Amino acid sequence: MLTLWIVVPCFNEEEVLPETASRLSALMKELMYENRISGESRVCFVNDGSADSTWEKIRSLHESDPLFAGLCLSRNRGHQNALLAGLMLARTHADAVISMDADLQDDPGAVRAFLEQYENGCDIVYGVRSSRASDSFFKRSSAESFYRLMKFLGAELVFNHADYRLMSRRALDALAEYEEVNLFLRGIAPQLGFRSACVEYERAERFAGKSKYPLKKMLSFAFDGVSSFSVRPLRAALVLGGAAFAVSIVILIYCLIRHLCGKTVSGWTSLGVSIWALGGLQLLMIGVVGEYVGKVYLETKKRPRYIIEETLL
Ligand code: UDP
Ligand code: MG
């Protein structure tokens, strides 16, 4: 029978954890009762260096019910790394693993549909949100433009899919081969190949607590996504540089003609403008190149993406 693990990264989630645990335990027990999943199935909470009582709560859940497993990272490493740590642990125990946020925004009701697709032979099942009604206007429009930008830049992404996803053991073994430090799991999953399917679900409001993704983190996550999966911004330097050069030739010809006609222009304005425009353009593109060089630097160090402090199984 199928052994299912649900991996839930948690960062300062003491407020939602009890509710999440009780809902997931109810769901898992139902599935076990229906003989759809084995008794070895687990809900694994990954503590991503929380400063509150999240880990103590996970520990007491584990002590009260063996359904709950726990993984404690040595410090905060961010959502993607915490998720990866959980997935890599789950991979050695489970046939299929579902990743889910701790705040109950990912409707646990969709798990049944995930399992159906898995049984139909899919190795990856993407949870896709059917509407963004629960998001603020700002979050909705920024998130949707992010998906469009990524698509334009040539990265393969499943539209409106975040990290609510089922992966088979085979898919996770493939994921383990990806050694990049700048993790962007939702971009890697489509690259793995395998048969996949999408399951729609209604995304709820965060059950309790505050979002751990303030604007600054969201922007840097989006930029990481772009620069980890696309080299087009680098090529943009070439295009922009070429365009600027073409424009400067036109201006040069114009200046020469003015000069030959004997109309010497004072020229401060045009000069000032072009210095600023070209200087700005150069700095911008050096910045883009620098961003990629920085990535190369980080990747060559091959530092561990997470360090495990404790495992409760
Ligand atoms: N999270 C994490 N480490 C972090 C930030 C977030 O493990 O450094 C977890 C968090 O506990 C939650 C999930 O990632 O389970 C998604 O975070 P959140 O709900 O705050 O993001 P939002 O839904 O607002 O984008
Ligand atoms: Mg959330």
Side-chain angles (χ1 to χ4, degrees):
M1 207 187 302
L2 165 76
T3 299
L4 174 74
W5 272 50
I6 297 185
V7 172
V8 186
C10 308
F11 176 53
N12 294 342
E13 299 285 11
E14 61 181 6
E15 283 168 81
V16 276
L17 207 60
E19 179 67 21
T20 309
S22 78
R23 287 210 204 165
L24 289 181
S25 130
L27 173 72
M28 294 293 266
K29 301 239 150 99
E30 259 176 57
L31 291 170
M32 284 178 193
Y33 184 72
E34 294 163 20
N35 276 331
R36 292 191 68 175
I37 60 173
S38 78
E40 298 301 297
S41 301
R42 294 282 179 273
V43 174
C44 176
F45 292 109
V46 182
N47 173 34
D48 185 17
S50 301
D52 63 4
S53 68
T54 300
W55 182 239
E56 286 70 47
K57 289 224 157 72
I58 295 172
R59 190 195 295 281
S60 70
L61 281 167
H62 171 73
E63 276 156 12
S64 66
D65 188 342
L67 172 72
F68 297 110
L71 187 64
C72 184
L73 302 192
S74 61
R75 54 160 295 175
N76 181 252
R77 294 294 294 135
H79 176 211
Q80 300 288 294
N81 289 311
L83 186 52
L84 182 76
L87 292 176
M88 290 302 114
L89 173 70
R91 165 171 88 106
T92 54
H93 297 88
D95 302 309
V97 183
I98 295 179
S99 48
M100 193 188 279
D101 284 356
D103 54 4
L104 292 169
Q105 287 194 285
D106 302 333
D107 174 22
V111 165
R112 285 168 188 280
F114 278 38
L115 289 179
E116 250 159 57
Q117 292 297 342
Y118 174 79
E119 282 152 11
N120 288 343
C122 289
D123 280 275
I124 306 180
V125 186
Y126 300 102
V128 174
R129 36 200 311 186
S130 50
S131 80
R132 283 188 173 263
S134 67
D135 275 354
S136 69
F137 171 75
F138 175 72
K139 180 126 189 175
R140 182 165 63 233
S141 48
S142 62
E144 290 192 342
S145 18
F146 167 67
Y147 283 100
R148 294 213 175 84
L149 173 73
M150 287 291 283
K151 197 166 178 157
F152 170 75
L153 289 172
E156 247 180 281
L157 274 196
V158 178
F159 194 70
N160 270 345
H161 159 70
D163 282 302
Y164 190 20
R165 174 173 53 229
L166 176 143
M167 293 175 89
S168 67
R169 178 192 290 233
R170 209 157 55 154
L172 289 171
D173 287 343
L175 175 66
E177 305 278 320
Y178 284 68
E179 293 185 345
E180 55 214 76
V181 178
N182 293 282
L183 259 198
F184 192 67
L185 289 169
R186 68 190 74 168
I188 298 177
Q191 300 213 335
L192 298 176
F194 294 119
R195 224 173 106 181
S196 65
C198 292
V199 165
E200 284 208 357
Y201 71 99
E202 199 73 51
R203 191 154 168 100
E205 303 253 6
R206 180 174 250 285
F207 183 78
K210 274 204 286 284
S211 170
K212 274 73 193 174
Y213 269 99
L215 181 65
K216 200 173 143 219
K217 256 199 200 172
M218 233 165 68
L219 285 179
S220 95
F221 185 54
F223 195 77
D224 258 0
V226 171
S227 54
S228 297
F229 280 88
S230 168
V231 287
R232 283 204 191 171
L234 275 179
R235 288 193 199 125
L238 207 67
V239 176
L240 279 178
F245 184 66
V247 171
S248 70
I249 288 182
V250 173
I251 292 176
L252 183 78
I253 294 172
Y254 170 75
C255 289
L256 276 178
I257 294 174
R258 293 283 290 212
H259 182 72
L260 290 177
C261 296
K263 293 178 192 151
T264 341
V265 208
S266 57
W268 280 110
T269 343
S270 58
L271 202 66
V273 167
S274 51
I275 286 173
W276 280 98
L278 288 176
L281 197 67
Q282 281 172 353
L283 281 180
L284 177 79
M285 295 328 288
I286 289 174
V288 172
V289 174
E291 194 63 41
Y292 282 86
V293 173
K295 283 241 147 98
V296 172
Y297 172 64
L298 289 178
E299 297 292 350
T300 49
K301 287 208 261 206
K302 290 214 177 300
R303 285 189 176 167
R305 292 172 287 189
Y306 52 82
I307 293 167
I308 292 168
E309 187 174 302
E310 200 178 342
T311 309
L312 301 174
L313 278 178

